[in-house]
Amino acid sequence: MSLKLKMTLWYTVLMLAIVGVVIIFVMTTANASAETAAKNILQNVVEQNQRELWYTDGELKQYGFHTYQDGVYLMVYDLAE
């Protein structure tokens, strides 16, 4: 094998390794960022709607409660039969 071919193979392997590491880093960072954003949206929507519900005289009252908001579906249910 010629020196030129050896160097070409060496640099190719090195570049593939670097690109692989960068892709893994970008994918894990993007995944963590998307998960954090989804958790924040869910928490904010639940907190907003929680302020719009109250329980008085054995009855659930609501004012401005949204069942769908910012891609989050919410449901209120009672365990009593």
Side-chain angles (χ1 to χ4, degrees):
M1 214 176 343
S2 69
L3 180 61
K4 190 187 267 187
L5 182 59
K6 286 180 184 178
M7 288 186 67
T8 301
L9 289 175
W10 172 253
Y11 285 120
T12 301
V13 169
L14 181 64
M15 287 297 138
L16 287 174
I18 290 172
V19 168
V21 169
V22 168
I23 287 174
I24 290 170
F25 174 75
V26 167
M27 294 300 285
T28 55
T29 304
N31 187 33
S33 176
E35 187 175 324
T36 301
K39 284 180 182 178
N40 287 339
I41 289 171
L42 178 60
Q43 184 175 0
N44 289 338
V45 169
V46 169
E47 286 174 357
Q48 281 178 327
N49 277 324
Q50 181 185 11
R51 288 184 233 123
E52 306 301 333
L53 296 172
W54 63 93
Y55 196 74
T56 308
D57 298 327
E59 214 176 298
L60 183 66
K61 306 286 184 177
Q62 66 180 7
Y63 177 78
F65 181 83
H66 301 286
T67 56
Y68 179 77
Q69 182 178 353
D70 290 336
V72 177
Y73 286 100
L74 295 174
M75 183 185 326
V76 178
Y77 63 95
D78 187 3
L79 294 176
E81 294 181 30

